[in-house]
Amino acid sequence: MELRFEMEYEEAYRELYELVKPKYKLFTAGPVACFPEVLAIMSVQMFSHRSAEAKAVHVDTLERLRKFLEAEKGEIILFPSSGTGFMEAAVRNTVPHGGKVLVTVIGAFGKRFADVVEANGRRAIILEKEPGKAIKPEELDEALRKNPDVVAVTITYNETSTGVLNPLPELAKVVHEHDKLLFVDAVSAMGGADIKFDEWGLDMIFASSQKAFGVPPGLAVAAVSERVFEIAEKMPERGWYFDLPLYKKFNEKKKGTPSTPPLPQVFGLNVVLRIVEKMGGKEAWLDMYRKRSEMIREGVKEMGLGILAEPGYESPTITAVVVPEGMKGVDVYNAMRERGFELAKGYGSVAERTFRIGNMGYMTFEDIEEMLANLREVIEKLKG
């Protein structure tokens, strides 16, 4: 989709457009294709982030997110960063220097959370499962019994590298029983998997704009519990850019963020949340994601391909597909790209034997049918 304006220096625009113009139908792990309505609203001319208009959009976006995340008891925070910024914020705002964090790892992004913990002078205690497996409640309970001195637990709700959805409500219940803080990476889950912040008793759940919401990258969002702010207020050297109490104060007093936010992305997210409402609400939106993912899984299974995620724990937003013996995932990726479809390469320890199909952002069921038809031909050709 190319938006057109009257431009004095159109040649400068055209030079770059030729490099970045859309060439592929996107089935990526993110960034993903954006809704036309999002691209249109993001093209409006900029104005001050301290203006009355910006404040009105900020407050409205927070309230729409609060409703979507079912977080009446939570504070909604917007960061001008990727979702990884909230990993650092969670650690620096609540865990004392040298303190321990139980990091559950079911893939590459769980490992990233562990890296963030260690990079900030805290200790990561690892509970790791093999790729394709989810963390089970009894396993988490055992790990917490063995490590009663951890301050917090991190859970990757939806592991982007393996296409596995962790059983978050059940895991959250275990964390409550041990009275630990709970931080949830929902980067590829929020907007595609259900989240009930209050009911599940989460302390922080965060995501990025460029995944299931179908907005360009640059904005991170989270719901944060009051308990986190109480701890953070007393935490020394928690930094400034990701100082959670500071963001809460700006929400209340300034109706904005401490530093300049990516206004176009905020506008885009607000439009998506309005689309959710007009589509019939959260349930209808999530049902769309469920149908997309089921269609992809059934399609690849019909081709004789495997699904990395164990049955019952499949992601609603991305599928890690296991290629047959003698075939490499990157070969499938490259062949599909030649046909005009951008999938996602395998990632982490399973990179060679998998490729991934994302179903986030703007796409139609006809797009999925077309992608699967081309994938079937590619697989047959690679099999020889």
Side-chain angles (χ1 to χ4, degrees):
M1 176 182 178
E2 182 181 4
L3 299 173
R4 300 294 296 149
F5 304 92
E6 290 296 325
M7 292 182 281
E8 183 176 356
Y9 301 102
E10 183 168 350
E11 185 180 357
Y13 158 81
R14 183 59 58 187
E15 288 170 358
L16 183 58
Y17 182 77
E18 288 304 312
L19 179 63
V20 301
K21 65 182 179 183
K23 305 179 187 71
Y24 309 99
K25 289 192 174 181
L26 299 185
F27 293 84
T28 65
V32 301
C34 301
F35 288 83
E37 297 83 354
V38 168
L39 297 177
I41 195 64
M42 290 182 69
S43 71
V44 301
Q45 189 56 272
M46 286 294 92
F47 47 82
S48 170
H49 65 294
R50 300 299 183 208
S51 67
E53 292 81 3
K55 290 179 179 180
V57 173
H58 180 84
V59 171
D60 186 65
T61 304
L62 297 188
E63 288 307 309
R64 290 178 184 278
L65 277 168
R66 190 185 313 280
K67 180 181 177 182
F68 188 81
L69 301 177
E70 301 185 36
E72 290 304 316
K73 297 178 183 178
E75 185 77 16
I76 306 300
I77 301 293
L78 304 182
F79 272 174
S81 76
S82 67
T84 305
F86 275 106
M87 291 184 179
E88 186 145 318
V91 173
R92 291 184 66 94
N93 280 262
T94 65
V95 183
H97 194 84
K100 297 178 182 178
V101 179
L102 180 63
V103 180
T104 62
V105 176
I106 62 170
F109 292 96
K111 291 179 180 177
R112 176 182 294 187
F113 217 145
D115 290 342
V116 171
V117 169
E118 294 284 343
N120 280 281
R122 281 72 170 174
R123 289 185 57 196
I125 308 300
I126 308 295
L127 169 59
E128 185 169 7
K129 299 293 293 291
E130 65 181 281
K133 303 295 184 183
I135 300 290
K136 308 304 190 301
E138 59 273 17
E139 295 166 338
L140 181 57
D141 181 65
E142 182 182 1
L144 284 169
R145 290 182 187 279
K146 289 180 179 178
N147 299 278
D149 56 343
V150 300
V151 175
V153 176
T154 75
I155 294 171
T156 309
Y157 189 6
N158 190 80
E159 175 52 63
T160 316
S161 68
T162 63
V164 173
L165 186 76
N166 264 320
L168 181 56
E170 292 86 351
L171 297 176
K173 184 178 179 181
V174 173
V175 176
H176 297 156
E177 291 170 353
H178 289 267
D179 194 26
K180 306 298 180 184
L181 290 166
L182 175 56
F183 304 135
V184 182
D185 170 355
V187 168
S188 62
M190 188 183 292
D194 198 11
I195 293 171
K196 299 180 183 295
F197 183 84
D198 292 342
E199 182 179 325
W200 298 348
L202 310 179
D203 286 297
M204 179 190 291
I205 187 163
F206 60 85
S208 304
S209 54
Q210 77 276 11
K211 301 284 187 176
F213 285 125
V215 176
L219 178 68
V221 305
V224 184
S225 73
E226 185 58 37
R227 179 164 67 153
V228 167
F229 293 108
E230 291 172 359
I231 295 170
E233 288 282 6
K234 303 172 185 176
M235 188 62 59
E237 298 180 356
R238 61 179 182 264
W240 190 92
Y241 195 73
F242 296 132
D243 179 345
L244 290 172
L246 181 62
Y247 276 80
K248 184 180 180 185
K249 290 173 185 174
F250 266 73
N251 274 352
E252 295 167 350
K253 297 180 180 180
K254 300 286 189 178
K255 295 181 173 57
T257 52
S259 57
T260 308
L263 287 175
Q265 280 81 350
V266 177
F267 300 163
L269 177 58
N270 190 289
V271 163
V272 167
L273 293 169
R274 290 171 186 268
I275 291 173
V276 171
E277 186 178 284
K278 295 180 186 304
M279 186 182 285
K282 177 180 175 179
E283 187 174 332
W285 174 270
L286 295 180
D287 189 55
M288 172 190 72
Y289 267 101
R290 181 185 59 79
K291 289 177 179 176
R292 284 181 182 180
S293 60
E294 287 179 352
M295 185 175 178
I296 290 170
R297 288 197 301 273
E298 290 170 4
V300 297
K301 286 178 181 177
E302 288 174 3
M303 300 174 207
L305 302 176
I307 305 297
L308 184 63
E310 61 179 311
Y313 298 92
E314 299 94 343
S315 164
T317 61
I318 190 163
T319 302
V321 184
V322 181
V323 297
E325 195 71 32
M327 191 182 298
K328 292 183 178 180
V330 70
D331 293 336
V332 178
Y333 167 82
N334 288 331
M336 286 296 285
R337 204 165 193 266
E338 290 175 1
R339 289 169 171 252
F341 297 89
E342 180 84 21
L343 307 186
K345 296 177 183 177
Y347 198 94
S349 63
V350 293
E352 188 166 313
R353 63 189 181 98
T354 65
F355 65 92
R356 295 172 297 158
I357 305 173
N359 56 272
M360 294 175 277
Y362 180 65
M363 68 176 61
T364 66
F365 289 102
E366 289 75 21
D367 291 332
I368 296 174
E369 289 176 354
E370 184 184 6
M371 179 275 296
L372 289 172
N374 277 269
L375 180 60
R376 186 175 295 106
E377 293 178 7
V378 163
I379 294 299
E380 289 302 318
K381 186 174 182 181
L382 288 174
K383 282 181 178 178

